[in-house]
Amino acid sequence: MNSKFTPGPWFVDENNDIWRRDPKELYENGGGVAGDKPLACCYKGWYGEGLIGYPAAANAQLISAAPDLFEALKIILEYPYGDASPLEDPPVMERARAAIAKAEGEQ
Protein backbone atom coordinates (compact mmCIF):
# COMPACT_ATOMS: atom_id res chain seq x y z
CA MET A 1 0.00 0.00 0.00
CA ASN A 2 1.42 3.38 -1.00
CA SER A 3 0.75 6.20 1.41
CA LYS A 4 -0.39 9.52 0.02
CA PHE A 5 0.88 11.59 2.93
CA THR A 6 4.33 13.07 3.50
CA PRO A 7 6.49 10.30 4.92
CA GLY A 8 7.84 10.65 8.44
CA PRO A 9 9.49 11.24 10.68
CA TRP A 10 7.94 14.61 11.46
CA PHE A 11 9.33 17.06 14.01
CA VAL A 12 7.92 19.85 16.20
CA ASP A 13 9.67 23.18 16.76
CA GLU A 14 9.29 25.63 19.65
CA ASN A 15 6.43 27.40 17.84
CA ASN A 16 4.41 24.16 17.59
CA ASP A 17 4.98 23.96 13.83
CA ILE A 18 5.37 20.46 12.37
CA TRP A 19 8.24 19.94 9.91
CA ARG A 20 9.39 17.10 7.67
CA ARG A 21 12.96 17.72 8.82
CA ASP A 22 14.45 18.27 12.25
CA PRO A 23 14.17 22.03 12.98
CA LYS A 24 17.80 22.03 14.17
CA GLU A 25 18.82 21.09 10.62
CA LEU A 26 16.62 23.81 9.13
CA TYR A 27 18.32 26.58 11.08
CA GLU A 28 21.85 25.28 11.65
CA ASN A 29 23.28 27.66 9.02
CA GLY A 30 21.45 30.71 10.36
CA GLY A 31 18.29 30.48 8.27
CA GLY A 32 15.60 28.21 6.94
CA VAL A 33 16.02 26.03 3.89
CA ALA A 34 14.75 27.86 0.82
CA GLY A 35 11.15 26.96 0.14
CA ASP A 36 10.82 24.75 3.21
CA LYS A 37 7.48 25.31 4.93
CA PRO A 38 5.90 23.55 7.91
CA LEU A 39 3.57 20.64 7.21
CA ALA A 40 1.16 21.97 9.84
CA CYS A 41 0.90 24.64 12.53
CA CYS A 42 -0.87 24.34 15.87
CA TYR A 43 -2.34 27.42 17.50
CA LYS A 44 -3.78 28.02 20.93
CA GLY A 45 -7.04 29.20 19.43
CA TRP A 46 -8.93 31.83 21.37
CA TYR A 47 -7.39 34.36 23.72
CA GLY A 48 -8.76 36.33 26.61
CA GLU A 49 -8.82 36.59 30.37
CA GLY A 50 -9.35 33.18 31.89
CA LEU A 51 -9.26 31.42 28.50
CA ILE A 52 -6.42 29.02 27.91
CA GLY A 53 -7.20 27.93 24.35
CA TYR A 54 -6.23 24.59 22.86
CA PRO A 55 -3.22 22.64 24.15
CA ALA A 56 -1.16 23.58 21.08
CA ALA A 57 2.08 21.91 22.18
CA ALA A 58 0.35 18.61 22.98
CA ASN A 59 -1.61 18.74 19.72
CA ALA A 60 1.62 19.37 17.77
CA GLN A 61 3.30 16.39 19.47
CA LEU A 62 0.38 14.12 18.56
CA ILE A 63 0.34 15.31 14.95
CA SER A 64 4.12 14.89 14.59
CA ALA A 65 3.83 11.30 15.86
CA ALA A 66 1.22 10.34 13.23
CA PRO A 67 3.69 8.67 10.81
CA ASP A 68 5.31 6.73 13.67
CA LEU A 69 1.92 5.61 15.00
CA PHE A 70 0.85 4.63 11.48
CA GLU A 71 3.98 2.52 10.92
CA ALA A 72 3.71 0.82 14.32
CA LEU A 73 0.08 -0.09 13.68
CA LYS A 74 0.92 -1.41 10.18
CA ILE A 75 3.62 -3.66 11.67
CA ILE A 76 1.16 -5.03 14.22
CA LEU A 77 -1.55 -5.63 11.63
CA GLU A 78 0.84 -7.24 9.13
CA TYR A 79 2.50 -9.43 11.75
CA PRO A 80 2.92 -13.08 10.63
CA TYR A 81 0.79 -14.57 13.37
CA GLY A 82 1.16 -18.33 13.43
CA ASP A 83 1.73 -19.24 17.08
CA ALA A 84 3.10 -15.83 18.11
CA SER A 85 1.47 -12.52 18.85
CA PRO A 86 2.94 -9.12 17.95
CA LEU A 87 2.32 -8.20 21.58
CA GLU A 88 4.95 -10.79 22.56
CA ASP A 89 7.57 -9.52 20.08
CA PRO A 90 9.88 -7.06 21.90
CA PRO A 91 10.98 -5.07 18.79
CA VAL A 92 7.35 -4.62 17.69
CA MET A 93 6.29 -3.49 21.15
CA GLU A 94 9.32 -1.17 21.46
CA ARG A 95 8.35 0.55 18.21
CA ALA A 96 4.75 0.93 19.38
CA ARG A 97 5.87 2.31 22.77
CA ALA A 98 8.26 4.77 21.10
CA ALA A 99 5.48 6.06 18.83
CA ILE A 100 3.16 6.56 21.81
CA ALA A 101 5.95 8.29 23.78
CA LYS A 102 6.48 10.69 20.87
CA ALA A 103 2.75 11.40 20.69
CA GLU A 104 2.76 12.15 24.42
CA GLY A 105 5.77 14.49 24.08
CA GLU A 106 8.16 12.22 25.98
CA GLN A 107 10.75 12.01 23.18
Side-chain angles (χ1 to χ4, degrees):
M1 179 172 125
N2 291 333
S3 303
K4 295 183 180 182
F5 54 81
T6 303
W10 296 349
F11 303 88
V12 178
D13 69 11
E14 67 279 352
N15 296 317
N16 301 316
D17 293 336
I18 294 98
W19 297 86
R20 63 182 177 84
R21 294 179 35 192
D22 189 331
K24 289 179 269 200
E25 292 177 18
L26 293 172
Y27 300 109
E28 67 185 6
N29 295 322
V33 175
D36 217 353
K37 301 283 184 205
L39 294 169
C41 304
C42 290
Y43 300 102
K44 284 190 93 72
W46 61 91
Y47 294 94
E49 190 174 330
L51 300 176
I52 59 171
Y54 301 115
N59 290 345
Q61 287 296 337
L62 178 61
I63 293 167
S64 75
D68 302 275
L69 294 165
F70 176 78
E71 288 300 321
L73 186 56
K74 265 182 38 177
I75 289 169
I76 290 170
L77 291 176
E78 295 171 355
Y79 195 82
Y81 283 96
D83 293 334
S85 164
L87 303 179
E88 297 169 355
D89 187 333
V92 170
M93 294 309 296
E94 178 63 30
R95 185 136 183 203
R97 285 187 186 96
I100 291 170
K102 183 175 181 178
E104 293 177 337
E106 296 175 11
Q107 271 190 343

